[in-house]
Amino acid sequence: MSSAGVVFAITRACSQGELKSCTCDPKKKGSFKDSRGSFDWGGCSDNIDYGIKFARAFVDAREKKGKDARALMNLHNNRVGRKAVKRFMTQECKCHGVSGSCTLRTCWLTMGDFRKSGDLLRKKYNGAIQVVMNQDGTGFTVANKRFNKPTSNDLVYFENSPDYCIRDKDVGFLTYVSFDLGSFGTAGRVCNQSSRGMDSCEVMCCGRGYDTARITKMVKCECKFHWCCAVRCKDCLETVDVHTCKAAKDAGWN
């Protein structure tokens, strides 16, 4: 996704004249033909090739220094991200002629909405293929022989992601200690009952359910601005419902 984002941002900046190193696509000049007939390249076609070239040099720089499996995986997935932007390039045209008769067309290429690329990569993420390094260390093959070999359009991964829903046994018990690995899980986390986003009880609690407790807390209220220049508030008691995710054992999970 980062690789796709760099392609999109740089390409858009080129078209808007914000970078001295690039302009509109210089290859889109002269006359051409498509299924609708002849047209002239005009306007400002997005210079997607420059955006891809820049992203490849910028994002892949760190990975090219390594020869391990993770670097190989990241280089592959970065290419998939760049291609996800180019896939949604579309041709837009403007008609010229009497009463819009379109006797002459001027066309240019433009990137699609970035959300389309994001949605595509999300689908590819959900269908990512687990792989292992081949014997000579120059590529990879599928970890499970029942699956097809990944193509240049598939996202790949080497290790299963940790389950952040439950506590990792390897995580430390002292919260002030910094850890590189492990998860404390979501048990006891405050969630939003009315939300449908990532902070919702349905998502955050991972289907374990949640407990509700009514608490009274002190809040600032009846705040007034006094000239000049202070805001003075009263202290008020407010009763609210707080929802916290159940632990696995409380939800009946083994």
Side-chain angles (χ1 to χ4, degrees):
M1 195 65 190
S2 298
S3 184
V6 172
V7 172
F8 190 90
I10 294 299
T11 303
R12 180 57 50 85
C14 289
S15 299
Q16 295 177 347
E18 297 176 356
L19 299 176
K20 295 181 179 180
S21 57
C22 63
T23 59
C24 305
D25 191 344
K27 300 177 183 177
K28 298 298 182 284
K29 294 182 179 179
S31 299
F32 201 74
K33 287 185 178 181
D34 61 9
S35 59
R36 296 178 56 189
S38 299
F39 67 87
D40 291 330
W41 286 115
C44 181
S45 290
D46 284 333
N47 197 347
I48 188 72
D49 290 337
Y50 182 89
I52 290 176
K53 180 181 178 181
F54 183 96
R56 182 166 57 243
F58 181 76
V59 182
D60 289 358
R62 179 180 179 183
E63 308 302 339
K64 289 181 178 179
K65 296 179 181 179
K67 301 294 184 180
D68 58 356
R70 182 171 295 276
L72 191 67
M73 175 191 70
N74 287 340
L75 287 172
H76 174 92
N77 289 338
N78 287 347
R79 286 193 294 270
V80 176
R82 293 191 291 267
K83 292 172 69 174
V85 179
K86 191 169 185 177
R87 175 172 178 171
F88 294 103
M89 292 288 290
T90 57
Q91 180 177 308
E92 296 185 359
C93 298
K94 182 177 181 180
C95 286
H96 308 278
V98 180
S99 300
S101 60
C102 214
T103 54
L104 177 65
R105 287 186 300 146
T106 301
C107 301
W108 59 92
L109 290 180
T110 182
M111 294 184 296
D113 184 59
F114 189 64
R115 177 165 290 278
K116 293 181 179 180
S117 299
D119 290 341
L120 175 64
L121 290 175
R122 177 59 184 267
K123 291 180 181 179
K124 291 181 179 295
Y125 174 85
N126 291 334
I129 300 173
Q130 188 172 18
V131 295
V132 294
M133 289 282 288
N134 57 21
Q135 293 183 347
D136 57 11
T138 59
F140 37 68
T141 184
V142 290
N144 190 327
K145 301 301 181 181
R146 294 181 300 171
F147 296 99
N148 294 327
K149 183 179 179 180
T151 69
S152 59
N153 295 317
D154 294 317
L155 291 176
V156 299
Y157 67 98
F158 283 98
E159 300 175 0
N160 289 320
S161 298
D163 186 353
Y164 293 105
C165 289
I166 57 178
R167 184 185 181 91
D168 190 333
K169 295 180 181 179
D170 295 330
V171 80
F173 290 97
L174 301 178
T175 58
Y176 54 81
V177 178
S178 175
F179 295 92
D180 293 327
L181 299 174
S183 167
F184 286 98
T186 61
R189 289 279 298 274
V190 175
C191 60
N192 188 340
Q193 185 190 40
S194 61
S195 173
R196 292 295 178 266
M198 297 302 294
D199 63 337
S200 68
C201 293
E202 180 180 358
V203 174
M204 186 175 291
C205 300
C206 308
R208 297 191 304 267
Y210 56 90
D211 297 316
T212 302
R214 179 155 291 187
I215 65 171
T216 301
K217 62 180 181 179
M218 190 75 71
V219 297
K220 298 296 182 181
C221 63
E222 298 183 23
C223 297
K224 294 182 180 180
F225 176 78
H226 294 267
W227 186 266
C228 177
C229 299
V231 177
R232 296 190 179 93
C233 304
K234 294 183 179 179
D235 291 327
C236 301
L237 292 176
E238 181 181 61
T239 301
V240 296
D241 290 331
V242 176
H243 311 288
T244 54
C245 296
K246 289 180 178 291
K249 61 179 181 179
D250 297 329
W253 291 14
N254 294 326

